[in-house]
Short mmCIF file of all heavy atoms in Angstrom, two decimals:
data_model
loop_
_atom_site.label_atom_id
_atom_site.label_comp_id
_atom_site.label_asym_id
_atom_site.label_seq_id
_atom_site.Cartn_x
_atom_site.Cartn_y
_atom_site.Cartn_z
N LEU A 119 -33.51 -31.89 32.56
CA LEU A 119 -32.19 -31.92 33.20
C LEU A 119 -31.04 -31.86 32.21
O LEU A 119 -29.92 -31.51 32.58
CB LEU A 119 -32.05 -33.18 34.07
CG LEU A 119 -33.01 -33.29 35.25
CD1 LEU A 119 -32.70 -34.52 36.08
CD2 LEU A 119 -32.96 -32.04 36.11
N GLN A 120 -31.28 -32.17 30.94
CA GLN A 120 -30.21 -32.08 29.95
C GLN A 120 -29.72 -30.65 29.81
O GLN A 120 -28.56 -30.41 29.49
CB GLN A 120 -30.66 -32.66 28.61
CG GLN A 120 -31.53 -31.76 27.75
CD GLN A 120 -32.99 -31.75 28.17
OE1 GLN A 120 -33.35 -32.07 29.28
NE2 GLN A 120 -33.85 -31.37 27.23
N PHE A 121 -30.61 -29.70 30.03
CA PHE A 121 -30.23 -28.28 29.92
C PHE A 121 -29.35 -27.87 31.10
O PHE A 121 -28.46 -27.03 30.95
CB PHE A 121 -31.49 -27.42 29.89
CG PHE A 121 -31.22 -25.95 29.70
CD1 PHE A 121 -31.01 -25.43 28.44
CD2 PHE A 121 -31.16 -25.09 30.79
CE1 PHE A 121 -30.75 -24.08 28.25
CE2 PHE A 121 -30.91 -23.74 30.62
CZ PHE A 121 -30.71 -23.23 29.34
N ALA A 122 -29.59 -28.46 32.26
CA ALA A 122 -28.85 -28.07 33.46
C ALA A 122 -27.45 -28.67 33.52
O ALA A 122 -26.61 -28.18 34.28
CB ALA A 122 -29.64 -28.48 34.71
N ALA A 123 -27.20 -29.71 32.74
CA ALA A 123 -25.87 -30.34 32.74
C ALA A 123 -24.94 -29.51 31.86
O ALA A 123 -24.90 -29.69 30.63
CB ALA A 123 -25.97 -31.78 32.25
N GLU A 124 -24.19 -28.61 32.48
CA GLU A 124 -23.44 -27.61 31.70
C GLU A 124 -22.29 -28.21 30.90
O GLU A 124 -21.75 -27.55 30.01
CB GLU A 124 -22.90 -26.53 32.64
CG GLU A 124 -21.95 -27.05 33.70
CD GLU A 124 -21.48 -25.95 34.64
OE1 GLU A 124 -22.18 -24.92 34.73
OE2 GLU A 124 -20.43 -26.14 35.27
N THR A 125 -21.89 -29.45 31.19
CA THR A 125 -20.82 -30.06 30.41
C THR A 125 -21.34 -30.75 29.16
O THR A 125 -20.55 -31.21 28.33
CB THR A 125 -20.07 -31.10 31.27
OG1 THR A 125 -21.00 -32.09 31.74
CG2 THR A 125 -19.40 -30.43 32.46
N LEU A 126 -22.67 -30.83 29.01
CA LEU A 126 -23.25 -31.47 27.83
C LEU A 126 -23.58 -30.44 26.77
O LEU A 126 -24.00 -29.33 27.09
CB LEU A 126 -24.53 -32.23 28.21
CG LEU A 126 -24.38 -33.44 29.12
CD1 LEU A 126 -25.76 -34.03 29.42
CD2 LEU A 126 -23.49 -34.50 28.49
N PRO A 127 -23.44 -30.79 25.50
CA PRO A 127 -23.85 -29.85 24.44
C PRO A 127 -25.35 -29.69 24.44
O PRO A 127 -26.10 -30.63 24.73
CB PRO A 127 -23.36 -30.54 23.15
CG PRO A 127 -23.30 -31.99 23.51
CD PRO A 127 -22.90 -32.05 24.96
N PHE A 128 -25.82 -28.49 24.13
CA PHE A 128 -27.26 -28.23 24.06
C PHE A 128 -27.58 -27.65 22.69
O PHE A 128 -26.99 -26.66 22.28
CB PHE A 128 -27.70 -27.25 25.14
CG PHE A 128 -29.15 -26.91 25.08
CD1 PHE A 128 -30.11 -27.80 25.51
CD2 PHE A 128 -29.56 -25.69 24.54
CE1 PHE A 128 -31.45 -27.49 25.42
CE2 PHE A 128 -30.90 -25.37 24.46
CZ PHE A 128 -31.86 -26.28 24.90
N GLY A 129 -28.51 -28.27 22.01
CA GLY A 129 -28.92 -27.78 20.70
C GLY A 129 -29.89 -28.73 20.05
O GLY A 129 -30.14 -29.83 20.55
N GLY A 130 -30.45 -28.30 18.92
CA GLY A 130 -31.42 -29.10 18.22
C GLY A 130 -30.82 -29.88 17.08
O GLY A 130 -29.60 -29.90 16.87
N VAL A 131 -31.70 -30.53 16.34
CA VAL A 131 -31.27 -31.30 15.17
C VAL A 131 -32.36 -31.15 14.12
O VAL A 131 -33.55 -31.28 14.40
CB VAL A 131 -31.02 -32.77 15.54
CG1 VAL A 131 -32.24 -33.41 16.19
CG2 VAL A 131 -30.59 -33.58 14.32
N GLY A 132 -31.97 -30.83 12.89
CA GLY A 132 -32.95 -30.65 11.84
C GLY A 132 -33.89 -29.49 12.14
O GLY A 132 -33.45 -28.39 12.47
N PRO A 133 -35.20 -29.72 12.11
CA PRO A 133 -36.16 -28.64 12.34
C PRO A 133 -36.10 -28.02 13.73
O PRO A 133 -36.61 -26.92 13.93
CB PRO A 133 -37.52 -29.33 12.13
CG PRO A 133 -37.22 -30.53 11.30
CD PRO A 133 -35.86 -30.97 11.72
N SER A 134 -35.48 -28.71 14.69
CA SER A 134 -35.40 -28.15 16.04
C SER A 134 -34.12 -27.36 16.27
O SER A 134 -33.91 -26.84 17.38
CB SER A 134 -35.54 -29.25 17.10
OG SER A 134 -34.50 -30.21 16.99
N GLY A 135 -33.27 -27.25 15.27
CA GLY A 135 -32.10 -26.39 15.45
C GLY A 135 -30.89 -26.81 14.66
O GLY A 135 -30.87 -27.84 13.98
N LEU A 136 -29.87 -26.00 14.79
CA LEU A 136 -28.62 -26.19 14.05
C LEU A 136 -27.48 -25.74 14.95
O LEU A 136 -27.45 -24.59 15.39
CB LEU A 136 -28.65 -25.37 12.76
CG LEU A 136 -27.40 -25.37 11.89
CD1 LEU A 136 -27.22 -26.74 11.25
CD2 LEU A 136 -27.52 -24.30 10.80
N GLY A 137 -26.54 -26.62 15.24
CA GLY A 137 -25.42 -26.28 16.10
C GLY A 137 -25.75 -26.51 17.56
O GLY A 137 -26.88 -26.84 17.93
N ALA A 138 -24.74 -26.35 18.41
CA ALA A 138 -24.91 -26.59 19.84
C ALA A 138 -24.01 -25.66 20.63
O ALA A 138 -23.02 -25.14 20.11
CB ALA A 138 -24.58 -28.05 20.18
N TYR A 139 -24.38 -25.45 21.88
CA TYR A 139 -23.55 -24.67 22.79
C TYR A 139 -23.66 -25.27 24.18
O TYR A 139 -24.16 -26.37 24.34
CB TYR A 139 -23.93 -23.18 22.76
CG TYR A 139 -25.41 -22.88 22.76
CD1 TYR A 139 -26.11 -22.75 23.95
CD2 TYR A 139 -26.10 -22.71 21.56
CE1 TYR A 139 -27.46 -22.46 23.95
CE2 TYR A 139 -27.45 -22.42 21.56
CZ TYR A 139 -28.12 -22.30 22.76
OH TYR A 139 -29.47 -22.02 22.76
N HIS A 140 -23.16 -24.57 25.18
CA HIS A 140 -22.93 -25.05 26.55
C HIS A 140 -21.60 -25.82 26.58
O HIS A 140 -21.26 -26.54 25.63
CB HIS A 140 -24.05 -25.98 27.05
CG HIS A 140 -25.32 -25.27 27.39
ND1 HIS A 140 -26.34 -25.86 28.09
CD2 HIS A 140 -25.74 -24.01 27.13
CE1 HIS A 140 -27.33 -25.01 28.25
NE2 HIS A 140 -26.99 -23.88 27.65
N GLY A 141 -20.89 -25.69 27.68
CA GLY A 141 -19.66 -26.44 27.87
C GLY A 141 -18.64 -26.19 26.77
O GLY A 141 -18.62 -25.12 26.14
N PRO A 142 -17.79 -27.17 26.51
CA PRO A 142 -16.75 -27.01 25.48
C PRO A 142 -17.35 -26.70 24.11
O PRO A 142 -16.76 -25.94 23.32
CB PRO A 142 -16.03 -28.37 25.48
CG PRO A 142 -16.31 -28.95 26.82
CD PRO A 142 -17.68 -28.47 27.20
N GLU A 143 -18.51 -27.27 23.81
CA GLU A 143 -19.13 -27.01 22.51
C GLU A 143 -19.49 -25.54 22.34
O GLU A 143 -19.47 -25.00 21.24
CB GLU A 143 -20.39 -27.87 22.34
CG GLU A 143 -20.13 -29.33 22.02
CD GLU A 143 -19.70 -30.13 23.23
OE1 GLU A 143 -19.79 -29.61 24.35
OE2 GLU A 143 -19.29 -31.29 23.05
N GLY A 144 -19.86 -24.88 23.45
CA GLY A 144 -20.17 -23.45 23.38
C GLY A 144 -18.96 -22.64 22.98
O GLY A 144 -19.06 -21.71 22.16
N PHE A 145 -17.80 -22.98 23.54
CA PHE A 145 -16.57 -22.26 23.17
C PHE A 145 -16.26 -22.49 21.70
O PHE A 145 -15.92 -21.55 20.96
CB PHE A 145 -15.41 -22.73 24.04
CG PHE A 145 -14.14 -22.00 23.77
CD1 PHE A 145 -13.86 -20.78 24.37
CD2 PHE A 145 -13.20 -22.52 22.88
CE1 PHE A 145 -12.67 -20.10 24.11
CE2 PHE A 145 -12.02 -21.84 22.61
CZ PHE A 145 -11.76 -20.64 23.22
N ASP A 146 -16.38 -23.74 21.25
CA ASP A 146 -16.09 -24.05 19.85
C ASP A 146 -17.08 -23.36 18.90
O ASP A 146 -16.69 -22.86 17.83
CB ASP A 146 -16.11 -25.56 19.62
CG ASP A 146 -14.96 -26.27 20.30
OD1 ASP A 146 -13.96 -25.60 20.63
OD2 ASP A 146 -15.07 -27.49 20.51
N THR A 147 -18.35 -23.34 19.29
CA THR A 147 -19.38 -22.76 18.44
C THR A 147 -19.14 -21.29 18.18
O THR A 147 -19.34 -20.79 17.07
CB THR A 147 -20.77 -22.97 19.08
OG1 THR A 147 -21.09 -24.36 19.04
CG2 THR A 147 -21.85 -22.19 18.33
N PHE A 148 -18.71 -20.56 19.21
CA PHE A 148 -18.56 -19.11 19.09
C PHE A 148 -17.10 -18.69 18.92
O PHE A 148 -16.74 -17.55 19.19
CB PHE A 148 -19.20 -18.42 20.28
CG PHE A 148 -20.68 -18.67 20.36
CD1 PHE A 148 -21.20 -19.52 21.31
CD2 PHE A 148 -21.54 -18.08 19.45
CE1 PHE A 148 -22.56 -19.77 21.38
CE2 PHE A 148 -22.90 -18.32 19.50
CZ PHE A 148 -23.42 -19.18 20.47
N SER A 149 -16.27 -19.61 18.47
CA SER A 149 -14.86 -19.31 18.20
C SER A 149 -14.51 -19.74 16.79
O SER A 149 -15.19 -20.56 16.17
CB SER A 149 -13.95 -20.05 19.18
OG SER A 149 -14.25 -19.73 20.52
N HIS A 150 -13.45 -19.18 16.27
CA HIS A 150 -12.90 -19.63 15.00
C HIS A 150 -11.50 -20.16 15.25
O HIS A 150 -10.64 -19.45 15.79
CB HIS A 150 -12.83 -18.49 13.97
CG HIS A 150 -12.03 -18.86 12.76
ND1 HIS A 150 -12.46 -19.81 11.85
CD2 HIS A 150 -10.82 -18.44 12.31
CE1 HIS A 150 -11.56 -19.95 10.90
NE2 HIS A 150 -10.56 -19.12 11.15
N LYS A 151 -11.26 -21.40 14.88
CA LYS A 151 -9.95 -22.00 15.06
C LYS A 151 -9.06 -21.62 13.87
O LYS A 151 -9.24 -22.12 12.76
CB LYS A 151 -10.07 -23.52 15.19
CG LYS A 151 -10.84 -23.97 16.43
CD LYS A 151 -10.91 -25.48 16.53
CE LYS A 151 -11.66 -25.90 17.79
NZ LYS A 151 -11.76 -27.38 17.93
N LYS A 152 -8.16 -20.72 14.15
CA LYS A 152 -7.29 -20.22 13.09
C LYS A 152 -6.01 -21.06 13.03
O LYS A 152 -5.30 -21.20 14.02
CB LYS A 152 -6.92 -18.76 13.36
CG LYS A 152 -6.03 -18.14 12.29
CD LYS A 152 -5.50 -16.78 12.73
CE LYS A 152 -6.62 -15.78 12.89
NZ LYS A 152 -6.08 -14.44 13.22
N ALA A 153 -5.73 -21.63 11.88
CA ALA A 153 -4.51 -22.41 11.69
C ALA A 153 -3.35 -21.46 11.37
O ALA A 153 -3.44 -20.66 10.44
CB ALA A 153 -4.69 -23.41 10.55
N VAL A 154 -2.27 -21.52 12.14
CA VAL A 154 -1.12 -20.63 11.97
C VAL A 154 0.15 -21.48 11.93
O VAL A 154 0.36 -22.35 12.78
CB VAL A 154 -1.01 -19.62 13.13
CG1 VAL A 154 0.24 -18.77 12.98
CG2 VAL A 154 -2.26 -18.75 13.19
N VAL A 155 1.00 -21.23 10.92
CA VAL A 155 2.30 -21.88 10.81
C VAL A 155 3.36 -20.80 10.76
O VAL A 155 3.23 -19.84 9.98
CB VAL A 155 2.39 -22.76 9.54
CG1 VAL A 155 3.81 -23.33 9.39
CG2 VAL A 155 1.37 -23.88 9.61
N LYS A 156 4.39 -20.91 11.59
CA LYS A 156 5.52 -19.98 11.57
C LYS A 156 6.76 -20.75 11.12
O LYS A 156 7.22 -21.65 11.81
CB LYS A 156 5.73 -19.36 12.95
CG LYS A 156 4.57 -18.46 13.39
CD LYS A 156 4.83 -17.81 14.72
CE LYS A 156 3.69 -16.87 15.11
NZ LYS A 156 3.94 -16.20 16.42
N GLN A 157 7.24 -20.37 9.96
CA GLN A 157 8.36 -21.08 9.36
C GLN A 157 9.68 -20.68 10.04
O GLN A 157 9.91 -19.51 10.37
CB GLN A 157 8.44 -20.77 7.86
CG GLN A 157 9.52 -21.47 7.10
CD GLN A 157 9.38 -22.97 7.10
OE1 GLN A 157 9.73 -23.62 8.10
NE2 GLN A 157 8.84 -23.52 6.02
N ALA A 158 10.55 -21.66 10.27
CA ALA A 158 11.87 -21.41 10.88
C ALA A 158 12.85 -20.89 9.82
O ALA A 158 12.65 -21.06 8.61
CB ALA A 158 12.41 -22.69 11.50
N LYS A 159 13.93 -20.22 10.30
CA LYS A 159 14.94 -19.73 9.37
C LYS A 159 15.57 -20.87 8.59
O LYS A 159 15.78 -20.80 7.38
CB LYS A 159 16.02 -18.97 10.13
CG LYS A 159 15.59 -17.59 10.60
CD LYS A 159 16.76 -16.87 11.25
CE LYS A 159 16.37 -15.46 11.67
NZ LYS A 159 17.50 -14.74 12.28
N LEU A 160 15.91 -21.94 9.32
CA LEU A 160 16.48 -23.12 8.67
C LEU A 160 15.37 -24.14 8.49
O LEU A 160 14.77 -24.61 9.46
CB LEU A 160 17.60 -23.70 9.53
CG LEU A 160 18.80 -22.79 9.77
CD1 LEU A 160 19.81 -23.46 10.69
CD2 LEU A 160 19.46 -22.43 8.44
N ASN A 161 15.05 -24.48 7.25
CA ASN A 161 13.96 -25.43 6.99
C ASN A 161 14.25 -26.16 5.69
O ASN A 161 15.12 -25.79 4.92
CB ASN A 161 12.63 -24.70 6.92
CG ASN A 161 12.57 -23.69 5.80
OD1 ASN A 161 12.38 -24.05 4.64
ND2 ASN A 161 12.77 -22.41 6.13
N ALA A 162 13.46 -27.19 5.46
CA ALA A 162 13.66 -28.05 4.28
C ALA A 162 12.60 -27.82 3.22
O ALA A 162 12.40 -28.66 2.34
CB ALA A 162 13.67 -29.51 4.70
N ALA A 163 11.90 -26.69 3.28
CA ALA A 163 10.81 -26.44 2.33
C ALA A 163 11.32 -26.42 0.89
O ALA A 163 10.60 -26.80 -0.03
CB ALA A 163 10.13 -25.12 2.66
N GLY A 164 12.57 -25.99 0.70
CA GLY A 164 13.11 -25.93 -0.65
C GLY A 164 13.20 -27.28 -1.32
O GLY A 164 13.20 -27.37 -2.56
N LEU A 165 13.25 -28.36 -0.53
CA LEU A 165 13.33 -29.70 -1.12
C LEU A 165 12.05 -30.09 -1.85
O LEU A 165 12.04 -31.03 -2.64
CB LEU A 165 13.63 -30.73 -0.02
CG LEU A 165 14.96 -30.56 0.72
CD1 LEU A 165 15.08 -31.58 1.83
CD2 LEU A 165 16.14 -30.70 -0.26
N LEU A 166 10.97 -29.36 -1.56
CA LEU A 166 9.69 -29.69 -2.17
C LEU A 166 9.44 -28.92 -3.45
O LEU A 166 8.42 -29.09 -4.11
CB LEU A 166 8.55 -29.39 -1.17
CG LEU A 166 8.65 -30.12 0.17
CD1 LEU A 166 7.52 -29.67 1.08
CD2 LEU A 166 8.61 -31.63 -0.03
#
């Protein structure tokens, strides 16, 4: 039944696997979280 619970992560540990999918974990596993910063025209970066 753990496989049928789509909100739970599914995957192994050690010799039985690496990583997990299903539910939110599936989206995270097959996505790359790209960090993006857009600097404003007026900013205080020069103080550093």
